[in-house]
Amino acid sequence: MVKVVVVEDEALVRKGIVLAINWAQLGCVVVGEAENGLAGLQIIKRLAPDIVITDMKMPQMDGVQMLAQLAQNGIQVEAIILSAHSDFSYAQSAVKLGVVDYVLKPFADGELEAAVEKAKSRLPKQHNPPTQQDILSFQIKKGDKSRYVAMAMDCIAQQYGQPGISVASVAEELAISEGYLSRVFKKETNHTFNNYLTRYRMHKAMQLLKDCRLKVYEVADAVGYQDTTYFSTLFKKLTGLSPSEYQASGQ
């Protein structure tokens, strides 16, 4: 998954970006968010995202200052600038920093998603695996082979909370061989079945951890892990934070 950090001082706008966009379909996961450039700078240094979506004007440190500081520190990210102001001088500052796109708020439906896709296209190929949308589009060319991949992904979306889900159980449900499903899934998604399942579960876990009333073991159980320690290890490997650290950060 491509890692994204959102830096925006307006809480409603920030939460709207984090929660309203189907990040999984874009092949992305939001690993952090911040309310100003100064906090964003620290989160970006810690989480090393691939893409940063940042507002232009913010208290303490604005978006351009934050990106300039990152560049000075040798930290490379693909950045998308958001602004309610169409001031050309701001746009010039952003362009000089090599930002991917400059999006005016309020942005139209699909506009930010298009900017994210543009940012992904500039990432190294290993950071840009096919998304669910890519696979379903590929179905037109590959016929019933991709139909099985799409059906397997649907099974994961419906059964990720069940500890017993596996490539064997899904293959049996689809009435195809385990070996065939493993091969075609890997070929068309660039992920093994288990790798995709793990990433899907972690994405759901991040959403659940936003509710501070939930315990880590409850989240682990909800996404299909009976071993909380194992769940925490996988979560940290993907996000750079333990579940409790992620929850405490309020991201």
Side-chain angles (χ1 to χ4, degrees):
M1 286 281 189
V2 173
K3 296 194 294 184
V4 179
V5 162
V6 179
V7 186
E8 164 65 62
D9 63 317
E10 296 182 61
L12 288 177
V13 175
R14 186 173 70 250
K15 292 301 181 184
I17 293 171
V18 173
L19 300 176
I21 291 178
N22 189 336
W23 291 106
Q25 190 175 59
L26 290 171
C28 300
V29 58
V30 177
V31 295
E33 54 184 277
E35 69 280 3
N36 60 62
L38 193 59
L41 193 64
Q42 299 306 313
I43 286 177
I44 292 166
K45 287 180 178 179
R46 188 171 78 250
L47 300 181
D50 304 297
I51 297 173
V52 172
I53 299 172
T54 180
D55 191 20
M56 179 68 76
K57 287 191 173 181
M58 296 179 290
Q60 298 189 49
M61 179 182 287
D62 66 34
V64 170
Q65 291 172 328
M66 180 189 73
L67 294 177
Q69 187 67 48
L70 289 172
Q72 289 175 13
N73 292 336
I75 299 172
Q76 296 183 338
V77 295
E78 298 298 338
I80 298 168
I81 290 283
L82 308 177
S83 179
H85 309 278
S86 55
D87 190 318
F88 186 65
S89 65
Y90 279 107
Q92 283 184 312
S93 300
V95 169
K96 288 179 181 178
L97 289 169
V99 300
V100 174
D101 215 340
Y102 182 85
V103 183
L104 292 178
K105 296 186 293 185
F107 31 85
D109 288 346
E111 191 172 7
L112 186 55
E113 288 91 332
V116 171
E117 291 286 10
K118 185 177 177 182
K120 284 179 59 188
S121 72
R122 292 170 50 163
L123 293 170
K125 292 300 182 183
Q126 63 267 29
H127 288 90
N128 197 18
T131 64
Q132 183 174 356
Q133 186 175 16
D134 295 331
I135 294 167
L136 295 178
S137 297
F138 191 62
Q139 183 178 0
I140 298 172
K141 299 178 181 178
K142 299 297 289 186
D144 62 349
K145 290 185 180 180
S146 283
R147 176 167 66 88
Y148 287 127
V149 172
M151 291 170 68
M153 294 175 79
D154 286 340
C155 287
I156 289 173
Q158 295 164 11
Q159 303 173 28
Y160 68 89
Q162 300 177 17
I165 183 176
S166 66
V167 64
S169 68
V170 171
E172 182 178 1
E173 186 173 335
L174 300 181
I176 58 177
S177 74
E178 178 182 344
Y180 175 76
L181 179 58
S182 296
R183 289 193 301 274
V184 72
F185 198 94
K186 170 67 174 177
K187 179 179 179 181
E188 296 179 17
T189 70
N190 203 32
H191 289 290
T192 65
F193 180 93
N194 287 338
N195 182 263
Y196 182 89
L197 173 62
T198 297
R199 289 174 179 273
Y200 192 93
R201 283 171 160 170
M202 294 303 113
H203 172 73
K204 290 297 183 181
M206 292 173 76
Q207 294 177 331
L208 292 171
L209 286 167
K210 294 180 187 297
D211 185 347
C212 294
R213 294 171 298 180
L214 292 176
K215 305 295 185 183
V216 171
Y217 73 86
E218 292 175 319
V219 173
D221 185 66
V223 298
Y225 293 100
Q226 296 174 320
D227 186 334
T228 304
T229 301
Y230 180 56
F231 161 73
S232 298
T233 299
L234 291 175
F235 188 92
K236 186 166 186 177
K237 183 177 180 180
L238 180 64
T239 68
L241 294 174
S242 69
S244 57
E245 288 171 337
Y246 182 85
Q247 192 170 50
S249 70
Q251 295 173 27

